[in-house]
């Protein structure tokens, strides 16, 4: 086996974008790396005008963050937990269906809602909904989803241009439909995403991926679930229909006027004091005495969760990011890094009517916690079961998962990637997305052959932070973490893995089914934006993510 340090050849090109903030450079000088704004900030830093806490922060944002936080709602005036009723996001209907394909309209819109009782909050939502509507699809039946960017030309307080790019996380999409960060759709433009829905049934999510502003865009509300079913998933006697529900976990800070406060703590992470489940603060859900299946997604920008039940009972994990696990796993504690999905069955039949079960958060390390962040939601047992269908968990769920069948002896290569903060920037093997931009999108950090099996070592050698590492295109099997087996709940197909302080996680994957350039990044979206993201090239050639299907100006033709 060969060891590859992971850095491919670098080509320098005429600069096109600012390396700090990513804005296009107008008429750049040959060696110019930054836009005038970032350049003057860098000069201030050199002169020592700004303290080290302001390192890499645009000047006006230092002032803005301090101001915004001073307007934050005091903890004592937040709603009491379990007083707001639970709800699931609505399911999106296609605008048109042919014998082969479903077409959806999913505009990015400014909208308002009463997220905290009595307060009006402006947010950005797909279809004006927070979080976005759930899309349901069947394996083998493609979806075409039109993203029309109807956001304002500039964010009202953060003062950036809200370009977007939409990633269907969990889908092996073609490069031009994968939400490639720099393939942006600007306000006033649209783009149709073609998602083939070829993989095994699973819980996916769609979210913004716009270069250098993903954290802010997602924080503003641009995320939703996408549920892909298949014959196996449908045939099992596990909970379906109204007993199979999304639990989208997010955190946020609100100002006294109801507006969302964005504070990324010097580009390290956004940590809210309000926990939202499907857009509701600490909701209470009425349940029957039976089993429920929850599609738990950590859609927070930076926060990780450590879920437990106050009853001390185990939860049964039946699915991971890439769908059903080979066998169910009972766990008392379930850790979710950003973007991780777990399908979790909770059995309320052991409880009497009138009892309440609380889903708690034993916060893992590296989060900023508040007195309000140790609970997530509550389940109130209100009635006997009204249906006995889908009320069991077979001992064998998915014995033929192609990912879990991979064996490390099939690997032809091992590559190592180190995730660390260097000179105020988050890097992968010292590299950043700004370098990818300045290479004209040619710099690649790895080049596995099409359908090659490889082991990737994802390392966080210096600690201080956890990095939820996401590799686009593929599913992987977790081999080990610091040489020890993965946790019981990680024993299924994954596409994000929690890499904790001083940990090295080895994952095994087959690189396909497409040739082309795909991203790998930390899914703490603040790290991703600044600038812990690189790309790898599978095979040779492949569709160009930037030019194969660019966004087009409005008006759009009929879908
Ligand atoms: Cu969910 Cu590249 O991200
Ligand atoms: Cu992804
Ligand atoms: Cu990170």
């Amino acid at each position: 086996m060969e060891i590859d340090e992971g850095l491919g050849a670098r080509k320098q090109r005429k600069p096109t974008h600012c390396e700090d903030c990513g804005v296009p450079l107008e008429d750049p000088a040959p060696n110019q790396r930054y836009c005038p704004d970032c350049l003057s900030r860098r000069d201030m830093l050199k002169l020592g005008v700004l303290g080290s806490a302001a390192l890499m922060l645009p000047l006006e944002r230092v002032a803005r963050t301090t101001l915004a936080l001073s307007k934050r709602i005091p903890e004592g005036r937040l709603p009491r937990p379990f007083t707001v009723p639970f709800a699931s996001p609505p399911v999106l209907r296609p605008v048109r269906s042919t014998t082969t394909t479903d077409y959806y309209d999913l505009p990015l819109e400014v909208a308002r809602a009463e997220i905290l009782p009595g307060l009006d909050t402006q947010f950005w939502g797909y279809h004006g909904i927070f979080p976005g509507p759930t899309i349901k699809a069947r394996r083998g039946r493609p979806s075409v989803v039109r993203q029309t960017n109807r956001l304002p030309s500039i964010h009202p307080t953060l003062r950036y241009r809200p370009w977007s790019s939409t990633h269907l996380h969990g889908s092996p999409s073609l490069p031009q439909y994968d939400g490639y960060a720099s393939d942006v759709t600007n306000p006033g433009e649209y783009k149709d995403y073609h998602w083939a829905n070829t993989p095994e049934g699973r819980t996916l999510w769609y979210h913004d991926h716009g270069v250098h502003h993903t954290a802010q865009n997602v924080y503003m509300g641009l995320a939703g679930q996408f549920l892909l079913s298949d014959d196996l998933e449908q045939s099992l006697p596990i909970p379906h229909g109204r007993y199979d529900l999304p639990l989208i976990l997010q955190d946020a800070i609100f100002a006294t006027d109801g507006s969302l406060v964005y504070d990324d703590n010097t580009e390290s992470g956004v940590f809210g004091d309000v926990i939202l489940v499907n857009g509701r603060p600490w909701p209470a859900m009425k349940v029957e005495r039976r089993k429920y299946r929850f599609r738990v997604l950590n859609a927070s920008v930076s926060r990780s969760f450590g879920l437990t039940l106050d009853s001390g009972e185990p939860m049964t994990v039946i699915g991971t990011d890439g769908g059903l696990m080979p066998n169910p796993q009972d766990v008392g504690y379930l850790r979710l890094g950003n973007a991780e999905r777990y399908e979790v069955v909770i059995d309320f039949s052991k409880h009497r009517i009138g009892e309440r079960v609380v889903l708690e958060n034993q916060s893992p390390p590296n989060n900023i916690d508040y007195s309000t962040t140790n609970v997530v939601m509550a389940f109130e047992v209100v009635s006997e079961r009204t249906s006995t269908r889908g009320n069991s968990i077979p001992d064998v769920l998915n014995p033929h998962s192609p990912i879990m069948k991979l064996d490390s002896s099939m690997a032809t290569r091992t590559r190592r990637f180190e995730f660390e903060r260097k000179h105020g920037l988050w890097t992968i093997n010292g590299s950043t997305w700004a370098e990818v931009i300045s290479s004209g999108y040619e710099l690649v950090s790895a080049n596995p052959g099409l359908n090659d099996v490889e082991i990737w070592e994802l390392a966080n050698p210096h600690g201080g932070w956890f990095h939820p590492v996401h590799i686009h295109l593929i599913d992987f099997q977790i081999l080990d973490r610091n040489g020890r087996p993965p946790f019981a709940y990680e024993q299924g197909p994954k596409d994000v893995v929690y890499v904790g302080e001083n940990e090295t996680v080895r994952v095994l994957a087959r690189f396909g089914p497409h040739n082309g350039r795909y991203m790998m990044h930390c899914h703490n979206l603040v790290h991703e934006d600044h600038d812990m993201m690189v790309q790898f090239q599978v095979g040779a050639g492949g569709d160009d993510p930037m030019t194969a299907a660019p966004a087009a100006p409005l008006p759009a033709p009929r879908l």
Side-chain angles (χ1 to χ4, degrees):
M1 236 188 276
E2 279 177 75
I3 302 274
D4 185 323
E5 289 303 315
L7 271 181
R10 286 177 200 205
K11 281 190 200 162
Q12 280 311 127
R13 273 205 175 178
K14 194 172 180 317
T16 54
H17 290 77
C18 171
E19 287 185 21
D20 267 5
C21 70
V23 301
L25 296 176
E26 286 166 26
D27 193 19
N31 289 321
Q32 184 178 339
R33 297 172 62 190
Y34 309 107
C35 68
D37 282 358
C38 291
L39 207 59
S40 61
R41 172 168 46 85
R42 283 177 171 262
D43 288 344
M44 303 281 271
L45 280 170
K46 267 188 238 146
L47 294 170
V49 176
L50 296 178
S52 63
L55 190 71
M56 305 311 293
L57 268 185
L59 254 193
E60 38 164 353
R61 268 187 40 212
V62 178
R64 218 166 34 232
T65 296
T66 320
L67 183 73
L69 280 182
S70 69
K71 293 191 285 186
R72 178 177 137 205
I73 301 178
E75 278 174 45
R77 286 184 30 219
L78 290 170
R80 300 233 337 272
F82 325 136
T83 53
V84 170
F86 172 87
S88 292
V91 175
L92 188 67
R93 293 238 180 86
V95 290
R96 185 164 71 89
S97 290
T98 64
T99 50
T100 56
T101 307
D102 294 314
Y103 294 81
Y104 295 92
D105 190 22
L106 199 61
L108 286 63
E109 296 172 330
V110 179
R112 317 189 71 93
E114 189 179 324
I115 296 173
L116 298 185
L119 284 176
D120 188 40
T121 299
Q122 191 187 88
F123 63 91
W124 293 350
Y126 292 104
H127 243 299
I129 297 168
F130 177 78
T134 303
I135 299 178
K136 292 192 176 180
R138 185 76 185 206
R139 186 178 189 189
R141 192 176 161 80
S143 322
V144 174
V145 179
R146 173 163 296 173
Q147 314 275 337
T148 304
N149 188 335
R150 298 193 192 286
L151 299 175
S153 58
I154 192 142
H155 186 288
T157 54
L158 302 174
R159 313 304 302 169
Y160 70 92
R161 182 169 206 201
W163 53 56
S164 73
S165 177
T166 303
H167 176 50
L168 179 58
H169 184 139
S171 160
S173 305
L174 284 167
Q176 65 273 39
Y177 303 125
D178 195 44
Y180 193 72
S182 297
D183 173 39
V184 297
T185 302
N186 279 295
E189 294 178 339
Y190 78 99
K191 169 164 171 154
D192 294 340
Y193 284 81
H194 295 245
W195 293 327
N197 300 333
T198 49
E200 291 76 40
R202 61 187 59 193
T203 305
L204 305 92
W205 63 305
Y206 59 92
H207 65 78
D208 180 75
H209 219 302
V211 61
H212 294 151
H213 294 292
T214 296
Q216 293 146 337
N217 286 349
V218 170
Y219 187 76
M220 288 298 290
L222 296 175
Q225 269 193 10
F226 184 111
L227 303 179
L228 183 64
S229 68
D230 64 8
D231 292 346
L232 171 67
E233 184 271 332
Q234 286 294 304
S235 69
L236 293 176
I238 54 179
H240 288 107
R242 65 182 196 273
Y243 304 111
D244 173 12
L245 299 163
L247 290 189
I248 303 174
L249 311 185
Q250 291 169 296
D251 58 342
I253 293 180
F254 293 84
T256 47
D257 65 358
S259 60
L260 285 165
V261 176
Y262 182 88
D263 174 20
D264 66 12
N265 297 288
T266 322
E267 296 181 349
S268 60
V270 174
F271 296 97
D273 53 359
V274 174
I275 303 296
L276 300 168
V277 181
N278 298 344
R280 308 264 180 134
W282 306 282
M285 176 186 177
K286 295 187 181 352
V287 295
E288 300 173 11
R289 296 186 60 222
R290 56 156 290 152
K291 292 187 174 71
Y292 283 74
R293 170 184 178 194
F294 296 106
R295 312 286 190 127
V296 187
L297 158 68
N298 180 357
S300 290
V301 170
S302 307
R303 179 179 295 285
S304 64
F305 290 88
L307 302 178
T308 55
L309 295 174
D310 72 336
S311 59
E313 289 163 294
M315 303 170 269
T316 306
V317 179
I318 62 168
T320 49
D321 306 330
L324 293 169
M325 310 165 83
N327 309 100
Q329 304 289 337
D330 284 346
V331 300
Y333 170 86
L334 175 61
R335 180 177 70 186
L336 284 102
N338 311 89
E340 287 191 288
R341 292 90 71 209
Y342 288 103
E343 294 186 31
V344 178
V345 173
I346 303 179
D347 188 355
F348 300 107
S349 67
K350 297 173 195 103
H351 294 272
R352 279 195 293 272
I353 291 174
E355 282 182 10
R356 184 170 85 180
V357 180
V358 174
L359 184 63
E360 299 173 320
N361 176 28
Q362 321 285 344
S363 182
N366 312 129
N367 293 315
I368 297 175
D369 294 317
Y370 299 89
S371 66
T372 50
T373 49
N374 58 359
V375 292
V376 175
M377 66 176 290
F379 305 97
E380 290 165 351
V381 183
V382 295
S383 69
E384 295 299 335
R385 63 187 184 195
T386 58
S387 168
T388 54
R389 297 188 59 193
N391 199 26
S392 47
I393 307 170
D395 291 337
V396 176
L397 296 163
N398 185 7
H400 304 298
S401 161
I403 303 309
M404 300 313 286
K405 282 248 147 48
L406 291 178
D407 187 89
S408 47
S409 65
M410 299 159 77
T412 51
R413 196 159 193 164
T414 296
R415 301 180 202 262
R416 180 178 172 84
F417 298 94
E418 293 194 350
F419 293 73
E420 60 172 319
R421 194 172 205 175
K422 265 191 183 155
H423 313 302
L425 273 184
W426 301 98
T427 68
I428 303 176
N429 281 355
S431 207
T432 62
W433 193 255
E435 290 176 28
V436 173
I437 294 173
S438 57
S439 74
Y441 307 105
E442 290 188 33
L443 174 67
V444 297
S445 295
N447 182 204
L450 181 63
N451 293 322
D452 279 3
V453 176
E454 295 194 347
I455 295 169
W456 284 18
E457 287 183 12
L458 311 169
N460 177 5
H462 304 297
W465 315 91
F466 71 99
H467 300 297
V469 176
H470 174 41
I471 307 174
H472 280 232
L473 181 68
I474 52 123
D475 295 336
F476 53 71
Q477 182 194 126
I478 302 177
L479 292 174
D480 46 43
R481 179 180 278 108
N482 284 357
R484 288 188 297 275
F487 296 109
Y489 52 84
E490 293 178 309
Q491 291 171 10
K494 297 275 297 159
D495 57 36
V496 188
V497 64
Y498 184 108
V499 184
E501 297 181 80
N502 308 110
E503 285 183 350
T504 297
V505 181
R506 294 196 314 145
V507 303
L508 179 66
R510 182 187 297 282
F511 286 80
H514 307 302
N515 289 303
R517 279 169 282 151
Y518 289 92
M519 300 172 285
M520 169 168 72
H521 58 88
C522 177
H523 221 293
N524 175 334
L525 299 177
V526 176
H527 296 189
E528 173 187 328
D529 281 340
H530 306 284
D531 203 14
M532 197 172 247
M533 181 160 73
V534 294
Q535 64 177 353
F536 56 97
Q537 160 83 46
V538 177
D543 293 346
D544 186 315
M546 295 293 285
T547 59
L554 291 169
R558 275 194 59 186
L559 249 183

